[in-house]
Amino acid sequence: MLIIVLSMKFNKVQDALFHVSLRISLSVPLKKRKDSESLRFRKGNMVSHLRMVLLGFLVLVVGISSGAYGAISQGIAKKIERINKRGPYLGIVVPNSFERDPLLQSPSFVADDHFPYLDFSGKRFRIGELENKKVIVVMTGLSMLNAGITTQLLLSLFKVEGVLHYGIAGNANPDLQIGDVTIPQYWAHTGLWNWQRYGDGPNDELALESSGDYTRKIGYLEFSDYNNVSKNGKPVANFLNNVWYQPEEIFPVYGTPEVRQHAFWVPVDKNYFTVAEKLENLKLGSCVNTTCLPRTPIAVRVKRGASANVFVDNSAYRSFLNTKFNVTPIDMESAAVALICLQQKTPFIAIRSLSDLAGGGSALSNEAGIFSSLAAQNAVDAVVRFIALLS
């Protein structure tokens, strides 16, 4: 907009200068004028010179106004540079404010004196120390999209040595309880599907499978397994047929640009996962006011967690994820953070506290409504202890 306005003003000034020069030339007596071609030549030189001067001024003004840094202004770029000189940092990525606030209010967190936060692109990156470890805390908002964008911004702007993601999650593992803190070794995005047409089955090739776009290697969900009616003891056909789970396309920084790789189960950092084993004796909360859990929650490493843009509150799908993939925590962000860290070759781990048994079925009523605050605090307690162990 600034460039358009200045360009319009430049054209108006140029026209005005032309008319002024023309009036000056016509006001001179004929006997004192040179021939007309010489006049036009001098007039053209004067306008060309003024055009160059104004164009230079335009470039200068536009350069100053934009900071000549593209999307990042010169002021923000200088702040980022000064923040990074004090790094590297452990990036802490958290979905929502009710999960983030207990960490910021913890006596273990100390905001940076010079740069307590930096706002950029709708995100607030909070800089400080946690258990003497330099950290940058950022809230993503709900969903895979927000988690992925925020994590990429964090890694693109700041000097980050690793990423710790935490929050609450639904539970797919009936052997664990609300309030338990889980640390999966692998994460997958279970929301990328190839939905097979009706009539095709497991032996039929998927559309575009031959070109490498899709695969039947991971497994599928057959909707007729969950029909309410059957014929001769067998499920009847279901028009929804099958959905096949698909890996994500990734383009790692250490790979060839535009040459894709695929990833489904993304491992967390081996060192981080080893350190997390020491959380298993962590003392965690078990009561919300006068409502207490049947047993004291525990922190435990588990095999797998899953994420998708779906709030899973269905016991049948919960059971499918657990029996098919050995999934424990179910959320909407962790796999996105894991995939970005995989692409950027950055160490990563996720800590998720269980707020409910997805789909219900436990002895506790309205589990998430009652125990989400407890689960959030247990996750924060595990994060603080984990960082202390790292330090």
Side-chain angles (χ1 to χ4, degrees):
M1 179 61 72
L2 177 62
I3 294 174
I4 294 173
V5 171
L6 289 174
S7 297
M8 293 173 62
K9 292 183 180 295
F10 170 74
N11 290 332
K12 289 181 179 179
V13 172
Q14 177 178 299
D15 290 343
L17 288 170
F18 173 80
H19 290 299
V20 168
S21 63
L22 183 61
R23 289 192 192 98
I24 292 172
S25 64
L26 291 176
S27 66
V28 179
L30 184 60
K31 61 182 178 179
K32 292 185 179 180
R33 277 186 259 154
K34 302 272 181 130
D35 58 80
S36 59
E37 289 188 6
S38 177
L39 174 64
R40 282 195 298 272
F41 179 76
R42 291 198 308 274
K43 179 180 69 178
N45 277 348
M46 178 169 59
V47 172
S48 296
H49 177 70
L50 289 169
R51 182 185 292 116
M52 292 302 297
V53 171
L54 287 171
L55 182 60
F57 174 74
L58 176 64
V59 170
L60 177 63
V61 171
V62 172
I64 292 173
S65 64
S66 66
Y69 279 88
I72 303 177
S73 70
Q74 188 174 7
I76 292 293
K78 287 182 177 179
K79 288 182 180 179
I80 292 172
E81 183 180 4
R82 292 173 65 184
I83 291 169
N84 284 334
K85 285 181 179 179
R86 301 163 71 90
Y89 299 88
L90 178 68
I92 300 179
V93 178
V94 56
N96 296 303
S97 59
F98 77 89
E99 297 160 311
R100 178 206 62 198
D101 290 349
L103 180 69
L104 297 180
Q105 294 163 5
S106 167
S108 298
F109 178 76
V110 180
D112 188 277
D113 290 337
H114 297 89
F115 294 102
Y117 64 87
L118 183 135
D119 292 340
F120 183 80
S121 194
K123 305 296 179 183
R124 173 160 290 186
F125 298 89
R126 301 173 189 270
I127 298 98
E129 288 190 0
L130 189 63
E131 292 293 316
N132 298 317
K133 184 80 172 175
K134 293 180 180 180
V135 297
I136 296 179
V137 182
V138 60
M139 188 185 79
T140 68
L142 189 71
S143 84
M144 297 280 286
L145 175 64
N146 282 322
I149 289 173
T150 305
T151 305
Q152 184 62 67
L153 278 173
L154 171 72
L155 298 181
S156 296
L157 296 175
F158 301 103
K159 185 186 290 186
V160 174
E161 64 183 20
V163 172
L164 190 162
H165 176 61
Y166 81 92
I168 67 172
N171 178 26
N173 185 347
D175 294 333
L176 293 178
Q177 174 192 267
I178 292 171
D180 288 346
V181 173
T182 61
I183 306 100
Q185 186 177 9
Y186 297 92
W187 284 92
H189 175 204
T190 51
L192 184 58
W193 292 353
N194 185 309
W195 206 317
Q196 198 171 28
R197 69 172 60 185
Y198 180 70
D200 286 352
N203 296 323
D204 294 301
E205 186 177 272
L206 300 175
L208 303 179
E209 183 178 358
S210 59
S211 63
D213 289 350
Y214 300 101
T215 178
R216 286 170 292 162
K217 292 180 181 179
I218 295 170
Y220 68 102
L221 168 65
E222 186 174 0
F223 283 97
S224 60
D225 287 344
Y226 300 92
N227 286 345
N228 291 324
V229 296
S230 61
K231 186 176 182 180
N232 299 325
K234 295 182 179 181
V236 298
N238 189 309
F239 289 140
L240 293 176
N241 203 22
N242 308 315
V243 291
W244 291 84
Y245 291 83
Q246 299 300 315
E248 287 277 4
E249 286 187 356
I250 61 169
F251 299 88
V253 293
Y254 49 83
T256 303
E258 298 184 352
V259 176
R260 66 182 177 180
Q261 298 180 28
H262 288 96
F264 189 71
W265 292 114
V266 180
V268 302
D269 180 73
K270 291 181 180 179
N271 179 53
Y272 287 174
F273 194 64
T274 299
V275 172
E277 185 178 10
K278 299 176 182 178
L279 296 177
E280 294 184 355
N281 295 322
L282 182 65
K283 184 178 180 180
L284 297 167
S286 58
C287 297
V288 177
N289 297 323
T290 59
T291 304
C292 296
L293 295 166
R295 65 162 172 81
T296 302
I298 60 172
V300 59
R301 297 188 305 171
V302 297
K303 195 66 175 178
R304 291 170 173 170
S307 308
N309 280 329
V310 180
F311 185 92
V312 178
D313 197 22
N314 180 278
S315 60
Y317 190 60
R318 169 198 82 206
S319 178
F320 170 81
L321 288 175
N322 181 249
T323 56
K324 180 69 176 180
F325 296 125
N326 193 20
V327 161
T328 297
I330 313 169
D331 66 39
M332 301 176 70
E333 295 87 19
S334 295
V337 181
L339 285 161
I340 295 298
C341 289
L342 176 64
Q343 293 196 121
Q344 297 299 314
K345 204 176 180 181
T346 302
F348 156 82
I349 195 167
I351 296 174
R352 286 281 186 163
S353 182
L354 306 177
S355 62
D356 64 297
L357 183 64
S362 73
L364 302 168
S365 176
N366 191 24
E367 305 100 326
I370 296 174
F371 293 104
S372 58
S373 61
L374 172 69
Q377 185 61 57
N378 282 355
V380 168
D381 290 345
V383 166
V384 172
R385 179 59 182 156
F386 176 82
I387 293 177
L389 291 169
L390 280 184
S391 299

